[in-house]
Amino acid sequence: MLAFIIKRFVQSLVVMLVVGLIAFVMFRFVGDPVDQMVGLETSIEDRERLREVLGLNARLPMQYWNFISSAAQGDFGTSYQFKRPVADMLGDRLPATLELALVSAIFALCAGIPMGVFTALYKDSVLTKLFQAVSLVGISLPTFLIGILLIYVFSVQLQWLPSFGRGEVVDIAGWSTGLLTSSGLKALILPAITLGLFQMTLIMRLVRSEMMEILRSDFIKFARARGLTPRAVHFGHALKNTMIPVITITGLQLGSIIAFAIITETVFQWPGIGLMFLQAVQDVDVPIMAAYLLMIAFLFVFINLIVDILYVVVDPRIHIEKA
Amino acid sequence: MPMNKETGRKMSLIVRILDSDIWYSFTRSKVTMIAALITFLIFASALFAPIISPHNPFDLASLSLMDSLLPPAWSAEGDPNYLLGTDDQGRDVLSTILYGSRISLAVGLVSVAFAAVLGITLGLIAGYMGGRVDAIIMRIADVQLSFPAILIALLIAGTVNALADGMDRERSAFTVLIISIGLSFWVQYARTVRSSTLVERNKEYVQAARLIGLHPFLIMLRHVLPNVMGPVLVIATINLALAVITEATLSFLGVGIPGTQPSLGTMIRTGNDFLFSGEWWITLFPGAMLAILVLAVNLLGDWLRDALNPKLR
Amino acid sequence: MSKFGRFLAASALMGAFATSAMAEKSFDYAFQGSLKSLDPYTLRETFTLGILTNVYEGLIKRGPNLEILPGLADSWEVIEPTRWRFHLRKGVKFHNGNDFTAEDVVFSAERLNSEGSDMKGRVPSDATFEIVDDYTVDFILASPNPILHYEWELWSIIDKDWAETNDSVRVTSASDTAETPISMMANGTGPFKITEHTAGVNTKFEANENWWNWENREFNIDKVNFTSISADATRVAALLSGEMDMVYPVPTQDIKRINSSSTLAALTGPELRTIFLGMDQRRDELLNSSVKGKNPFKDIRVRQAFFHAINAEAISSRIMRKQAAPSALMISPFLFDNADQFERLAYDPDKAKALLTEAGYPDGFEIRIDCPNDRYVNDESICQAVAAMMAKVGIKVNVNAQPKAQYFAKILASGGYETSFYLLGWTPGSLDSHNIFANLYGCRDDAGKGGMFNIGGYCNPEVDALAKEILVENDAAKRLDLVTQAYKIVTDEVGYLPLHQQGLAWGVSKDVSVAQRADNVLRFEHITKN
């Protein structure tokens, strides 16, 4: 078992290093960092000196090695634009993104599961048709348009909810949270819905199809035959069994929620890492870009690894050799 | 039903699609039939856009700034020449939607095809070779999943533009979209094909093929492909819808098709800026077109998945 | 947030509770860009420098109409052509209570030209300084310079003692591994203090009751909250929803919507930036063009034809929705007194065609235009409109619109001036014509020595000679005459195709009054709120 984990971990690490190298090569083409760091009128000599100081004149493998070796020690370099250590900046901005991702995942689950169950149980109800239509809207319009439309309705027209930012945040042991103030909670609503709508649709459809499959299975038929109430059958047996794939998928989706937060954070000016990354791309802030990509990749590989390990632990039929 | 289940197993894909069960479920679902009709209409109008659209929005010499920002024909200031109004450059919105859906569909179809070919090939190789090759491909797949299309596109946009500097902006943007959308979709195909290949690999006919000197890989291709075509088709349909949406999203991030030959996504992005200023037709009509297209394709995908899933029949 | 920021946030929060009894006036505003480092010497960019002048101050100050006013210097005189004497204001204190003296000026001047500073040259690097007494300082120049102090409003004076005790003598550099204190906190002499700063997100200010001009202050606000909102639609929404007292820039199309609201107004005015098209007149063969073996832009008739083909009025009225003034010159008429002597070549597609035929291109040719898509107001739309106008005279223009990072990396000296036709905007930093002749019209070599931003490589030694005279001419009337002569030459030769001065548009709540400056700088000291 331990050997399997180590092997998987090493494999993932190698692939990440290669991906990192490819990304590093690509950074060259995103633009010239120096142009973005100085004013338009700065002389060519000063620009050249800056390039030298930043190590941009070093050969690419050398730059990559420098990055990787210091990243291994937790040092991601200094942001070209902010002149601050990138690790600090990620630390400052991560809470905003994680809170947004978490709340939208909870929203997706809390709305998606009941809707999925309902549509599976009452296939011909009018409400089912309505739920399905609403859920399809969630995947038929681009996220940014949904965000703008929500802002238009709830901020501009009704003036109920804020159109940007996190509201008041409270600092608890270095973690800035918007969950404890009323303005912080209000500010979360629109971005969380925008970000979670796609996942909600996904979960609803997953629950529905799993549920429909399980309701046809023999063991549900036996349960019914045993005279259990429909309630006990549906929620005690059927729903419980659909939960395993739902939780797996949600876990796996957490990574893509964080990545998709780029769009939502841009539309709502949410001060998280996604917005920081997008601005880093625009400003060619290579240290931030590199650290962000590395972090996302690590997060994802980590989640994947855990899911795989859980499978092996839970289901003895899967042989380690094959996995 | 006239067809016999025994022979059906060995039949080619097309015949299987027309298998009575599926056809039956198609004719039974009104929603599916409407979705199919709409999809067909949109594809046809995109294909024949140069013939049916009243103007050619891609012909710069025909544009006049003085005709810009006209509202739809039925409103007071509208011009009957421009049924759905004009955008900020004086392009006819209706014609641009027709031409734009052509580009959006092209992006969707080509990138899905790219993803499918790449995924099927890698899945076959991984499943057949096993061992280290399998491990490497599947680890790449893991990492790939962590880089959604938007990240890939942001990274490769600069690279493609720099490497293909002489290229038209339209063509290089198209390339960026195909590669980045395609790269983010291949994993699903690879996983499906790989698991199916793992099952087939140890069957006797593969061993037998090796004995008579046929390359087992070719055998696998012939036997595995038909088995996975159902799920692949389902994935492809849903991916097509997703690809069209992703293209729109990418254009919001500035890496989509440029404004001189706009896609639906580009139109929505530019129109987005006019939402508060009252020129709603620039974004609302393309938005509606996009939503209808994606909705119809998704409904088709849903139906296909249910129809091909024997457990739900 | 750093520990420092957290401490400030905590104290600001307590402060808010303590004073909530008094009616506090807070001014909330949003801008497109963000404030990154607080070190006033790390980035020469108008927004960053402009917002910091509310906290730091320069020796001079510019008023709402950009007129030069005394700042930290009470007065100044040119004793000899190369010796300027500045008399400093007495009784000025930095936010930490330190006195402002001549030592701080000399320290700041030296820091300005030190390694890592992006403000080099704002004080000539070969200048020397003499402290006459605590409140008098002399600047000794190598050559006369009548506009020495023009850019000094945005040159912030830093407290020497404070910088030394806080490890902030050196300019914050990108290769630093730990942040320098001065990039996270500020200690100026200005009317506002920074109480909280989250880099790239928001910054909070508080009025400085110890400001030297407190008794005569115009403003009545106690707090200012700045937030960066980069997405246009979100920024406008924040104003429409009443969350913001002011946002800028407002996209041209949303001006009408803002004006139609009963509580809001769009404040518009001409900006100093000139938007123009540049043509490659240096290469022997154009990049990305159908013409091989020669460069059509070297022929003045082709340049004239391009000028005649462009309908700047239509761009101004349709694309810019009247928020732009078509321009005949590469400088705003506000910065050049004889601007009314110049006129644009008329919009005349037939004449353009005739000129092209005469030059040997009866069927036109194909060329690519490079264009940013996130830098200037409606930049990409302008390029598209130009392409449509050129199509009408037979020139096929392919629009290559890119994000500014990739655009500038390619077209500037560092990218080898990789463009043959491009759109650019320019504001002379010194607010003076010499800047235009030196940067945009000065002859250059391939490495960019000379007119560094003369991307098209226009070159006329006569203009260069005039520019040199303009630089050292101390007599205003003679100087204006020289400037006019130089503009005559460059417009006759159609060195560039100027389009317009783009407009400024601020969306403001009717409850507040602000002074809109043509350089797009917002000074808090002119803000009042009902």
Side-chain angles (χ1 to χ4, degrees), chain C residues 158-214:
Chain C
I158 296 171
D159 179 7
K160 184 177 181 224
D161 287 345
W162 178 79
E164 281 168 354
T165 45
N166 283 296
D167 183 29
S168 296
V169 175
R170 73 203 157 84
V171 176
T172 314
S173 132
S175 54
D176 287 348
T177 46
E179 57 211 273
T180 42
I182 195 173
S183 66
M184 287 303 291
M185 57 190 200
N187 177 40
T189 56
F192 283 82
K193 297 189 267 199
I194 291 180
T195 53
E196 193 184 330
H197 170 64
T198 311
V201 180
N202 56 24
T203 310
K204 298 187 175 168
F205 303 80
E206 190 181 78
N208 169 22
E209 292 179 14
N210 297 319
W211 186 41
W212 52 269
N213 205 19
W214 180 257

Side-chain angles (χ1 to χ4, degrees), chain A residues 14-29:
Chain A
V14 170
V15 175
M16 269 174 68
L17 286 177
V18 174
V19 170
L21 183 63
I22 296 170
F24 231 74
V25 173
M26 285 177 174
F27 290 156
R28 293 238 137 167
F29 300 104

Side-chain angles (χ1 to χ4, degrees), chain A residues 248-303:
Chain A
T248 316
I249 295 283
T250 316
L252 285 176
Q253 287 288 323
L254 208 62
S256 67
I257 288 185
I258 289 176
F260 261 93
I262 292 178
I263 312 278
T264 312
E265 289 183 7
T266 307
V267 172
F268 290 94
Q269 196 70 30
W270 189 264
I273 51 169
L275 183 63
M276 186 168 84
F277 173 74
L278 195 69
Q279 285 172 347
V281 171
Q282 281 157 6
D283 294 333
V284 204
D285 201 334
V286 174
I288 291 185
M289 284 157 72
Y292 176 86
L293 290 177
L294 207 66
M295 199 184 75
I296 291 282
F298 178 78
L299 204 69
F300 218 94
V301 169
F302 187 69
I303 293 174

Side-chain angles (χ1 to χ4, degrees), chain A residues 29-32 35-47 49-51 53-54 75 77-85 88-89 92-93 148 151-152 155-157 159 161-164 168-169 171 173-174 176 266-269 271 275 279 281-284, chain C residues 1-2 6 13 35-37 42-44 115 117-118 120 151 172-179 183-184 199-201 204 227-231 233-234 237-238 240-244 257 374 404-406 408-409 412-414 425-427 429 435 439 447-449 452-453:
Chain A
F29 300 104
V30 180
D32 181 1
D35 279 343
Q36 306 302 314
M37 289 172 68
V38 297
L40 211 53
E41 290 169 61
T42 306
S43 73
I44 296 175
E45 293 77 27
D46 281 341
R47 285 164 193 255
R49 206 168 307 129
L50 189 56
R51 200 164 274 131
V53 170
L54 295 176
D75 172 14
T78 308
S79 156
Y80 292 167
Q81 292 285 322
F82 293 93
K83 333 279 183 197
R84 289 190 62 205
D88 288 6
M89 296 198 59
D92 283 353
R93 299 279 197 109
I148 292 285
I151 288 179
Y152 187 73
S155 300
V156 176
Q157 294 298 337
Q159 307 207 344
L161 297 167
S163 58
F164 72 95
E168 282 293 325
V169 289
D171 226 75
S176 71
T266 307
V267 172
F268 290 94
Q269 196 70 30
L275 183 63
Q279 285 172 347
V281 171
Q282 281 157 6
D283 294 333
V284 204
Chain C
M1 206 189 294
S2 71
R6 233 174 276 144
L13 204 67
L35 180 59
K36 286 156 187 161
S37 171
T42 36
L43 181 63
R44 188 194 296 216
E115 185 59 44
S117 162
D118 195 32
K120 284 178 195 163
E151 293 182 70
T172 314
S173 132
S175 54
D176 287 348
T177 46
E179 57 211 273
S183 66
M184 287 303 291
V201 180
K204 298 187 175 168
T227 309
S228 162
I229 303 186
S230 52
T234 313
L240 292 175
S241 65
E243 293 164 85
M244 286 287 171
R257 166 70 197 251
D374 55 357
K404 58 179 189 286
Q406 289 155 38
F408 285 117
L412 293 184
S414 52
W426 189 266
T427 312
N435 176 296
N439 284 306
K449 204 119 195 94
M452 190 179 164
F453 296 94

Side-chain angles (χ1 to χ4, degrees), chain B residues 21-60:
Chain B
D21 278 2
I22 295 173
W23 187 247
Y24 178 68
S25 85
F26 179 76
T27 50
R28 254 198 50 177
S29 162
K30 258 186 203 142
V31 176
T32 309
M33 284 171 70
I34 294 171
L37 183 70
I38 289 174
T39 313
F40 173 77
L41 283 178
I42 294 178
F43 269 77
S45 62
L47 195 64
F48 297 111
I51 301 167
I52 57 171
S53 49
H55 303 266
N56 180 359
F58 292 178
D59 176 17
L60 289 176

Side-chain angles (χ1 to χ4, degrees), chain A residues 1-300:
Chain A
M1 185 66 199
L2 189 68
F4 163 74
I5 294 175
I6 292 172
K7 197 171 142 198
R8 279 297 300 269
F9 193 73
V10 171
Q11 282 174 354
S12 304
L13 212 64
V14 170
V15 175
M16 269 174 68
L17 286 177
V18 174
V19 170
L21 183 63
I22 296 170
F24 231 74
V25 173
M26 285 177 174
F27 290 156
R28 293 238 137 167
F29 300 104
V30 180
D32 181 1
V34 172
D35 279 343
Q36 306 302 314
M37 289 172 68
V38 297
L40 211 53
E41 290 169 61
T42 306
S43 73
I44 296 175
E45 293 77 27
D46 281 341
R47 285 164 193 255
E48 201 43 55
R49 206 168 307 129
L50 189 56
R51 200 164 274 131
E52 193 61 48
V53 170
L54 295 176
L56 291 172
N57 287 339
R59 302 219 345 226
L60 196 71
M62 200 59 209
Q63 286 186 41
Y64 181 60
W65 171 248
N66 288 340
F67 172 73
I68 289 295
S69 52
S70 31
Q73 300 161 25
D75 172 14
F76 294 99
T78 308
S79 156
Y80 292 167
Q81 292 285 322
F82 293 93
K83 333 279 183 197
R84 289 190 62 205
V86 174
D88 288 6
M89 296 198 59
L90 284 177
D92 283 353
R93 299 279 197 109
L94 200 58
T97 300
L98 288 184
E99 274 181 10
L100 176 62
L102 203 71
V103 171
S104 62
I106 291 171
F107 158 74
L109 286 172
C110 291
I113 294 176
M115 281 162 79
V117 172
F118 186 89
T119 48
L121 293 181
Y122 309 101
K123 269 190 260 178
D124 299 315
S125 154
V126 183
L127 215 52
T128 295
K129 298 258 149 57
L130 186 74
F131 284 161
Q132 284 184 306
V134 168
S135 80
L136 278 169
V137 170
I139 53 171
S140 301
L141 279 175
T143 319
F144 71 94
L145 192 60
I146 295 177
I148 292 285
L149 290 173
L150 285 178
I151 288 179
Y152 187 73
V153 174
F154 293 101
S155 300
V156 176
Q157 294 298 337
L158 299 172
Q159 307 207 344
W160 288 352
L161 297 167
S163 58
F164 72 95
R166 292 183 78 187
E168 282 293 325
V169 289
V170 179
D171 226 75
I172 299 171
W175 179 283
S176 71
T177 178
L179 298 175
L180 297 177
T181 63
S182 67
S183 72
L185 288 173
K186 271 169 102 178
L188 252 172
I189 298 174
L190 293 185
I193 291 177
T194 310
L195 184 58
L197 209 54
F198 187 83
Q199 311 297 335
M200 182 201 84
T201 307
L202 205 72
I203 289 169
M204 176 194 135
R205 304 174 117 216
L206 188 73
V207 170
R208 175 172 176 266
S209 62
E210 289 286 328
M211 196 79 174
M212 278 163 72
E213 237 172 79
I214 287 175
L215 286 176
R216 287 157 190 267
S217 66
D218 291 340
F219 110 89
I220 291 293
K221 284 179 191 149
F222 285 132
R224 283 212 177 101
R226 266 164 54 204
L228 292 177
T229 59
R231 194 188 162 85
V233 173
H234 294 156
F235 295 98
H237 289 80
L239 185 61
K240 212 167 125 193
N241 279 288
T242 58
M243 279 298 101
I244 296 160
V246 168
I247 287 169
T248 316
I249 295 283
T250 316
L252 285 176
Q253 287 288 323
L254 208 62
S256 67
I257 288 185
I258 289 176
F260 261 93
I262 292 178
I263 312 278
T264 312
E265 289 183 7
T266 307
V267 172
F268 290 94
Q269 196 70 30
W270 189 264
I273 51 169
L275 183 63
M276 186 168 84
F277 173 74
L278 195 69
Q279 285 172 347
V281 171
Q282 281 157 6
D283 294 333
V284 204
D285 201 334
V286 174
I288 291 185
M289 284 157 72
Y292 176 86
L293 290 177
L294 207 66
M295 199 184 75
I296 291 282
F298 178 78
L299 204 69
F300 218 94

Side-chain angles (χ1 to χ4, degrees), chain B residues 12-219:
Chain B
S12 75
L13 171 75
I14 297 158
V15 182
R16 275 177 42 158
I17 291 287
L18 291 174
D19 188 295
S20 46
D21 278 2
I22 295 173
W23 187 247
Y24 178 68
S25 85
F26 179 76
T27 50
R28 254 198 50 177
S29 162
K30 258 186 203 142
V31 176
T32 309
M33 284 171 70
I34 294 171
L37 183 70
I38 289 174
T39 313
F40 173 77
L41 283 178
I42 294 178
F43 269 77
S45 62
L47 195 64
F48 297 111
I51 301 167
I52 57 171
S53 49
H55 303 266
N56 180 359
F58 292 178
D59 176 17
L60 289 176
S62 74
L63 301 183
S64 169
L65 262 190
M66 287 311 169
D67 284 345
S68 64
L69 301 170
L70 291 171
W74 55 84
S75 55
E77 294 154 51
D79 181 327
N81 247 328
Y82 305 105
L83 187 61
L84 299 183
T86 59
D87 71 359
D88 59 323
Q89 294 282 340
R91 276 184 287 255
D92 176 37
V93 170
L94 174 63
S95 311
T96 319
I97 288 177
L98 294 174
Y99 275 83
S101 42
R102 195 173 149 100
I103 291 181
S104 290
L105 282 173
V107 170
L109 289 172
V110 178
S111 58
V112 167
F114 173 62
V117 170
L118 188 69
I120 291 171
T121 315
L122 288 177
L124 268 176
I125 294 175
Y128 178 70
M129 307 275 283
R132 193 163 292 171
V133 177
D134 180 31
I136 291 174
I137 291 179
M138 291 334 278
R139 285 307 76 70
I140 294 177
D142 286 353
V143 176
Q144 177 70 71
L145 278 179
S146 66
F147 289 98
I150 46 177
L151 284 186
I152 301 174
L154 284 173
L155 282 181
I156 69 166
T159 317
V160 170
N161 288 336
L163 293 181
D165 194 45
M167 210 192 257
D168 278 351
R169 215 38 206 134
E170 286 84 12
R171 284 206 358 244
S172 68
F174 196 80
T175 317
V176 170
L177 290 172
I178 302 301
I179 296 177
S180 44
I181 299 177
L183 277 183
S184 62
F185 285 161
W186 68 269
V187 176
Q188 285 172 289
Y189 302 94
R191 290 200 164 157
T192 311
V193 172
R194 173 179 172 267
S195 59
S196 177
T197 313
L198 280 176
V199 175
E200 298 289 309
R201 181 172 66 170
N202 296 322
K203 289 201 173 152
E204 280 173 15
Y205 71 90
V206 180
Q207 313 293 338
R210 205 172 292 174
L211 282 180
I212 59 168
L214 268 175
H215 197 291
F217 195 76
L218 289 176
I219 301 287

